[in-house]
Amino acid sequence: MTQPDTDTIVAIATAPGRGGVGIVRLSGPRALAVASALMPASRTLAPRHAHFSSFRDAEGQLIDEGLVLYFPGPKSFTGEDVVELQGHGGPVLLDQLVQACIRQGARQARPGEFSMRAFLNDRMDLTQAEGIADLIDAGTVAAARAAVGSLRGAFSDAVNNLVEQLIQLRIYVEAAIDFPEEEIDFLSDGKVAGDLNDLIHATAEVLATARRGSLLREGMTLVIAGRPNAGKSSLLNALAGNDVAIVTDIAGTTRDVLRETIQLDGMPLNLIDTAGLRESPDVVEQEGIRRAWQAIEQADRILLVVDSTTVTPAQLDQPDQLLPEGQRTLSSLGIPLTLVLNKADLSGLPPGIQTNHPDTLAISAAHGNGLDALREYLKQSVGFHSGESSPFSARRRHLSALELALTSLQHGARQLGDHAAGELLAEDLRGAQRALEEITGVFSADDLLGRIFSSFCIGK
Ligand code: GDP
Ligand code: ZN
């Protein structure tokens, strides 16, 4: 595992823009020396006390005055010496403070570098670091509550619990393998099968909770497809309703014109409008379109909006044939598709789910008929219940790891049942443990850490 860098880093910790207070944070062995160089020579900083001081640049020019807090390592956020300079919240003066620190030998921190140091110094594990980022990015109260849970270690506890059980089981199985003459007895005495079964259930339960946490954080992504005039914009507006609250972006991407996030009873609903997916000479727009396609590939569902006055009953059985020219590629992505028969008021279709056709609903976007049924249907399709909460937040990478652990355990159970094969079971248990430990970062590839922390913002 990478060792923490030993240089001293600095960044503005508060949000960009103007505010009453702005905080510049230093972390590293020279944090105190750098901060002291900005203050009158007589100033000494008692640990964890607020001191009032002036801040000056190398030429002695006054930049600001405010509070200074010194947290000696290892009992600090990063585990290193940390100093916070709390000045006034103006972008220019905070930048001057950062520059003054850099002139004294600090280095501008990279995104997420404070959190990464905290992780590398064992001040928290990966799910807790991710919990911080999720808390800051939370777009709903339920998402924020779940993130606080992760921050406080609820997710880590659940995972560590599984690992603990897994280790006990592995000890037993490895011992059986070491005594081959008794191996069969060992493995068929029922204890291994019973413990393994318990572990499978416990893992499935954590996975289900993590899925809820992930839904609260990331919600579901819908692609809205269809011909011009089918009613896509009307449907978007109807779903958005009065809800102008823009929920968080998917981490690592920026907002663009093609995408909008609304809330569906507390679950973020990410909408991608295919109307914007035209060819464009504009570079910025091209970038937006490239990102939209990336998001589309990850989408949970395609809503194909058609003008119901133009469809024949025969076409309902082959909905993806109704995709307009130019959006046909959508049908090859393997994403579930729902047919939305719009303008039910004109065609006389009964609004709501069409019982004769799977995944087909009739609505009137303009008049609001059938929209409640559509909302209910969408929530059900991802297993979201209104008012849902989760004791911790989770990300896709957590879900994949838990799924991998679960499949390994189930595979191990089959090995045991079919062949009483100790070696093979042991291998599956090892795999499951590795997957689980990737969640908390006990086991981690360096590039995984880089990917996680680089999606944080600077100063975190
Ligand atoms: P888009 O091109 O797919 O985004 O379609 P629009 O949402 O812009 O709608 C096209 C036209 O159909 C507009 O004149 C809408 O007022 C009309 N429209 C949309 N939904 C309905 C509906 O449910 N009933 C009726 N009667 N008209 C609708
Ligand atoms: Zn439109």
Side-chain angles (χ1 to χ4, degrees), residues 71 86 173 176 195 209 305 347 357 375 406 412 418 441 451:
F71 304 94
Q86 308 194 347
V173 172
D195 286 0
T209 312
V305 185
S347 60
H357 298 277
R375 288 195 191 92
L406 186 59
D418 297 350
R451 256 184 292 135

Side-chain angles (χ1 to χ4, degrees), residues 232-234 273 275:
K232 298 181 297 298
S233 304
S234 306
D273 185 358

